Amino acid sequence: MRNTIDIDGQVVPFGDGQTIMQAAEAAGIYIPHLCYDPSVSPAGNCRLCVVSLGGRQVASCTTQAAEGQQIVSQSPDLLDTRRQLTRMLFIEGNHFCPSCEKSGSCRLQAMAYELKVLNFEYPQLWPDREMDASHPDVLLDRDRCILCGLCVRASHELDGKAVFELGGRGVSTRLMVNSPTGRLAESEIARNDKAVAICPVGALLPKRRAFAVPIGQRKYDLRTIAGRAKAH
Amino acid sequence: VFGPDRDLLEVVANHTRFFAHESCGFCTPCRVGTRLQRDIVSKFQRGEGTSDDLAQLRALTQLMKGTSHCGLGQTAGNTVVDTLKDFAEMYRLRISGA
């Protein structure tokens, strides 16, 4: 059979130009990821989707599938790697699940449950990050931002705007708002923008919808981030 | 090459500060890893390191090497990795209470 790759011993077909991630998703194979979303171009910055290919680790969301690739996605080492990366995302921000509106539909939280991340291991960095509540309909809480850039890409590619950009560098990188004041209020953001909906965490939220879906009935209360039904 | 009068750990610490400063912040392992590496090495400088820190430093440098997006993050831990291997005593002597 032509145009197939091997993921953890499973033969997976792929189409022209498809990435390893796209081929895996089409075959119903879950590779953990946070900065990838099929509706926008891939970036490869969270690194959760690293897989082992020819003795190297590559991001499956940005690596093209090619005939005969032997890929390992599920291994103790890669599980450990993904746990460490998830811990890093927690400790570099200020994440308080119990008081967060997004709890239960947050992909970072769901990833921690999926990978069974039970502690942070690293010391918390407790960064100083600015909240932007200036907009009547959209809240930006940078404490919860994981710098995945999904809103940046969605604003450009889906909303036809350019509301967001990642600015600064290193661990001081912050989500910046493109407006004369740097605040959301003066930007082109709108409540129903894809850039808001695509946020995997509670950094960008439409206002006044916080508990429209009660805790316990939310997305990852019902299914794991890998798509398995949860036993209750 | 460094002379015998140099404090090698200060050299290592300087490298870790350099990489924490140079990381562009694009990918998780380098953005966070270079900062954590800097912080842990500075603990040893203060004589406050622990054996857990040593294990963490090894895991951290391996993670950065294996998963960083570009060469900066993949090599940011080299000085630490090499000195952990060839000058392990330097770290052990500065474990808190050693």
Side-chain angles (χ1 to χ4, degrees):
Chain A
M1 195 166 148
R2 292 283 299 164
N3 281 357
T4 60
I5 55 178
D6 181 302
I7 303 179
D8 294 327
Q10 189 176 331
V11 177
V12 176
F14 67 93
D16 278 349
Q18 271 196 328
T19 60
I20 294 170
M21 174 70 80
Q22 287 169 326
E25 294 238 297
I29 296 173
Y30 176 71
I31 301 176
H33 58 270
L34 287 171
C35 76
Y36 168 78
D37 186 288
S39 68
V40 293
S41 59
N45 62 49
C46 79
R47 312 308 283 179
L48 262 289
C49 76
V50 287
V51 292
S52 181
L53 169 63
R56 291 175 58 226
Q57 289 179 26
V58 299
S60 55
C61 72
T62 53
T63 305
Q64 296 236 322
E67 176 61 29
Q69 284 172 335
Q70 299 283 324
I71 294 155
V72 178
S73 173
Q74 302 295 327
S75 71
D77 279 357
L78 283 169
L79 175 61
D80 184 59
T81 292
R82 290 168 183 149
R83 280 182 179 148
Q84 284 199 69
L85 292 168
T86 305
R87 289 186 181 108
M88 284 179 161
L89 290 172
F90 271 102
I91 61 106
E92 76 160 331
N94 297 305
H95 299 275
F96 305 100
C97 300
S99 62
C100 180
E101 293 170 34
K102 189 85 172 193
S103 184
S105 42
C106 169
R107 296 181 68 81
L108 180 65
Q109 182 191 41
M111 185 62 72
Y113 282 123
E114 172 70 15
L115 301 178
K116 298 186 171 58
V117 172
L118 303 176
N119 59 15
F120 290 158
E121 213 168 279
Y122 305 115
Q124 299 259 2
L125 297 185
W126 303 127
D128 200 0
R129 293 181 176 185
E130 210 175 320
M131 159 97 76
D132 183 346
S134 64
H135 195 279
D137 294 326
V138 179
L139 175 75
L140 168 55
D141 186 342
R142 291 188 177 85
D143 279 342
R144 303 167 183 163
C145 178
I146 58 169
L147 307 169
C148 67
L150 276 172
C151 59
V152 177
R153 285 172 274 154
S155 186
H156 277 271
E157 298 171 23
L158 305 176
D159 300 329
K161 303 178 185 179
V163 177
F164 299 105
E165 204 52 76
L166 291 170
R169 53 191 289 174
V171 85
S172 307
T173 303
R174 296 287 184 272
L175 184 63
M176 319 281 274
V177 175
N178 178 18
S179 75
T181 55
R183 300 190 321 161
L184 274 181
E186 289 77 28
S187 77
E188 289 183 62
I189 195 80
R191 184 182 185 85
N192 294 322
D193 277 3
K194 295 281 197 295
V196 179
I198 207 167
C199 181
V201 291
L204 276 168
L205 289 168
K207 290 187 176 177
R208 297 177 300 280
R209 274 228 316 258
F211 297 97
V213 180
I215 299 276
Q217 296 171 29
R218 298 183 169 197
K219 189 169 184 186
Y220 302 116
D221 291 327
L222 307 175
R223 305 188 81 81
T224 68
I225 194 168
R228 295 185 310 274
K230 272 184 158 174
H232 281 283
Chain B
V1 178
F2 297 100
D5 53 328
R6 292 291 297 275
D7 175 2
L8 195 54
L9 195 62
E10 173 52 31
V11 175
V12 175
N14 194 35
H15 279 212
T16 64
R17 287 193 295 269
F18 171 83
F19 283 109
H21 183 258
E22 287 301 319
S23 172
C24 82
F26 172 81
C27 72
T28 311
C30 173
R31 184 177 68 236
V32 186
T34 53
R35 164 64 185 269
L36 290 172
Q37 175 181 254
R38 186 200 77 178
D39 290 354
I40 296 173
V41 169
S42 88
K43 272 182 83 177
F44 280 94
Q45 273 195 298
R46 299 193 304 271
E48 296 169 2
T50 66
S51 45
D52 269 3
D53 286 327
L54 273 185
Q56 209 166 69
L57 212 42
R58 286 199 182 87
L60 201 56
T61 48
Q62 199 187 341
L63 181 80
M64 285 195 287
K65 188 187 176 84
T67 64
S68 289
H69 178 72
C70 84
L72 188 125
Q74 288 161 14
T75 56
N78 281 1
T79 324
V80 171
V81 172
D82 289 349
T83 49
L84 279 173
K85 183 159 68 83
D86 297 330
F87 300 91
E89 196 68 358
M90 169 177 90
Y91 290 90
R92 261 184 240 119
L93 286 172
R94 304 211 203 184
I95 285 177
S96 178

